Amino acid sequence: MNRITHIWSSGLMAAFLLSLAAPLVAQPVESAKEIVRKADLHVRGNTSQATIIFRIVRPTWSRDMTTKTWSKGNKLAMIRIEAPVKDRGTVYLKREKEVWNWIPSIERNIKLPPSMMSQSWMGTDFTNDDLVKEFSILEDYDHTLVGEEKIGDRICHIVELIPKPSAAVVWGKVRIWIDKKDYLQLKGEYFDESGKLVNRMVTNDIRMLGGRLLPAYMEMLPINKPGQKTVLIYKEIQFDKPIPDHFFTVENMKKIQ
């Protein structure tokens, strides 16, 4: 091979190698916030309607609570208790920054003050903030990718969420594990303001629900309370069926079925 042919061949090889590398360089890297946004949209949709069983487990007893839920975006949500009979008709409404509770036994609507958001929701291991207020994990937190971990056969991003100074949220820090392939949230850890781990959330039974691949089974596990947990089981869910904003009103809480 003469010198000119050698230079030409080397140039072609360099161009070929660059052409292979170019698509890798051009691929945008997802930010932590974008990963969380996709996971949130996947599980929430534009709207959702679901039937969910909450199983409250304690060392010496357990009980089930059946609920119907409706949500629209992350600012409107309604939860109605269907069973047991003594709680049937109890309704929680989240509208913008307000949270209301309809108590049928006294036929009154009560607005929950901020001081109640960290309290247990209906005796479960979820707080009022977790289940009703549905704090905005996109708007109220700063997001950072802190690593990755394999859960089962799925590689997950680990995203750390730190509340913004102005955010009125319960947790001092949250870590969530989000599957890279389908944006499923498979695990969560919830820390108090001192950095102490309080609750761990794990999921299971990934299957098609409402036309989407989702975990149908979730456990919230208090770290320092052995034998105690709350299990959340999705029985059915429907996404993106139109729900008018006026459905989510205080006046409608006592009317919904």
Side-chain angles (χ1 to χ4, degrees), residues 20-192:
L20 291 178
L24 298 177
V25 173
Q27 288 291 328
V29 177
E30 284 185 308
S31 68
K33 185 173 183 177
E34 179 65 10
I35 292 166
V36 173
R37 186 192 70 79
K38 288 182 178 181
D40 184 60
L41 184 61
H42 182 76
V43 75
R44 191 192 303 275
N46 296 314
T47 69
S48 70
Q49 301 179 46
T51 300
I52 304 172
I53 293 175
F54 290 83
R55 181 164 296 148
I56 304 167
V57 179
R58 298 297 181 259
T60 59
W61 58 270
S62 68
R63 70 181 178 92
D64 285 2
M65 180 171 60
T66 303
T67 67
K68 285 185 178 179
T69 71
W70 298 262
S71 72
K72 186 174 185 178
N74 59 15
K75 295 183 178 181
L76 298 171
M78 192 95 79
I79 301 176
R80 184 180 191 273
I81 311 301
E82 299 294 301
V85 173
K86 69 181 183 68
D87 296 318
R88 180 175 171 82
T90 301
V91 178
Y92 286 82
L93 167 69
K94 181 257 179 164
R95 186 175 177 88
E96 301 293 335
K97 297 293 184 180
E98 297 181 347
V99 181
W100 293 80
N101 178 203
W102 165 255
I103 305 173
S105 61
I106 60 175
E107 296 189 342
R108 284 189 60 190
N109 276 316
I110 298 173
K111 186 178 179 181
L112 273 62
S115 60
M116 289 187 64
M117 297 316 297
S118 62
Q119 295 183 12
S120 167
W121 181 79
M122 294 296 294
T124 70
D125 295 299
F126 293 91
T127 66
N128 287 317
D129 192 90
D130 292 331
L131 267 295
V132 182
K133 185 170 176 285
E134 291 187 335
F135 60 77
S136 172
I137 58 175
L138 292 173
E139 297 173 6
D140 290 340
Y141 289 82
D142 292 320
H143 312 78
T144 305
L145 282 168
V146 295
E148 63 180 50
E149 184 179 339
K150 191 172 185 179
I151 297 180
D153 60 352
R154 292 175 176 270
I155 302 296
C156 297
H157 296 288
I158 305 174
V159 183
E160 188 168 275
L161 285 67
I162 303 296
K164 295 178 179 178
S166 60
V169 296
V170 169
W171 303 111
K173 179 175 70 175
V174 178
R175 281 182 179 170
I176 53 179
W177 280 249
I178 297 174
D179 164 44
K180 289 186 175 184
K181 180 182 177 183
D182 296 304
Y183 295 95
L184 307 177
Q185 183 176 332
L186 299 182
K187 181 179 172 182
E189 292 183 341
Y190 303 84
F191 300 79
D192 64 18

